[in-house]
Amino acid sequence: MSEAVTERRALKDRILEAALLHAAFDGWSRKTLLHAASDAGVDAPTARRLFPQGGDSLVEWLDDWADRQMLEAAATEDLGALPVRRRIAWLVRRRLEPLGHHREAMRRAAVAHGLPTNLVTASRSVWRTVDRIWEAAGLGGAPGEGFSYYSRRATLAAVLVGTFLYWLEDQSESFADTWAFLDRRIEDVMRMGQARTWLEGLLGRRPKAAAT
């Protein structure tokens, strides 16, 4: 990554981190962008160039920022020593934990994601996140694997979104109920995956006519 790109990313991160405080009151709007830029010591024209779609650009950058917090934490851990289900749970937690003091801003972000004009961008962001989680877990795979590659990602996307929505309303200490919910959802997914593998193996051992 070039020095210019690194500096631009750092500048956008500064504005985004300041915006988390304003978005809780003003939503993800151009007003939030300008206030956050002022807090970060960035002039308004530069902020508008960095986030040309205003609040929508901020929300899109928020998703990437949260992913990078997760990946930076993962770089200091030996995730390969953990069972797969614990790797996934660990990564999802590390993505949500930096946002624990900004849940109102995240509620506003969820509303922004749900707007018709943002649905494609939101779907792309979720897919990118689950792809990064599988990669960080050491199970990235490749599209050439076919159905299993996409089904793993679609399943994890459902777990991620469900956990996020639960976390938004969780009042338990240190989000203990959310992490328990996450563990249950992953356990459910693992059981479904084991059942599918068993069934596929069973059908593979039977004559085609019987399997049909």
Side-chain angles (χ1 to χ4, degrees), residues 11-40 51 54-55 57-59 61-62 102 104-106 108:
L11 191 58
K12 292 182 73 172
D13 283 352
R14 273 170 43 203
I15 296 173
L16 184 280
E17 288 162 15
L20 283 165
L21 301 175
H22 291 281
F25 303 98
D26 298 319
W28 294 92
S29 61
R30 191 166 293 275
K31 178 180 179 181
T32 288
L33 171 61
L34 296 179
H35 282 312
S38 177
D39 291 349
F51 297 97
S57 295
L58 274 173
V59 171
W61 192 253
L62 168 64
H102 303 290
E104 185 54 39
M106 296 310 297
R108 302 288 189 108

Side-chain angles (χ1 to χ4, degrees), residues 29-161:
S29 61
R30 191 166 293 275
K31 178 180 179 181
T32 288
L33 171 61
L34 296 179
H35 282 312
S38 177
D39 291 349
V42 179
D43 61 85
T46 299
R48 285 192 288 264
R49 285 197 300 272
L50 291 171
F51 297 97
Q53 302 303 316
D56 289 344
S57 295
L58 274 173
V59 171
E60 187 173 2
W61 192 253
L62 168 64
D63 292 330
D64 182 69
W65 178 88
D67 286 352
R68 286 185 283 113
Q69 306 310 300
M70 172 189 71
L71 295 175
E72 287 172 14
T76 66
E77 295 290 325
D78 181 15
L79 293 181
L82 300 175
V84 171
R85 67 193 70 193
R86 288 184 59 192
R87 292 182 223 172
I88 300 302
W90 190 95
L91 288 160
V92 174
R93 283 188 62 163
R94 294 310 176 277
R95 191 179 188 278
L96 287 174
E97 284 175 340
L99 298 165
H101 295 296
H102 303 290
R103 281 199 295 173
E104 185 54 39
M106 296 310 297
R107 288 188 185 94
R108 302 288 189 108
V111 172
H113 273 319
L115 295 175
T117 54
N118 293 336
L119 287 177
V120 172
T121 299
S123 298
R124 187 166 55 237
S125 292
V126 170
W127 194 261
R128 180 183 62 202
T129 296
V130 299
D131 200 47
R132 287 171 168 174
I133 290 174
W134 280 118
E135 288 286 347
L139 298 163
E145 295 175 9
F147 178 77
S148 64
Y149 174 87
Y150 294 102
S151 65
R152 284 201 309 271
R153 280 154 176 76
T155 302
L156 179 54
V159 170
L160 182 66
V161 172

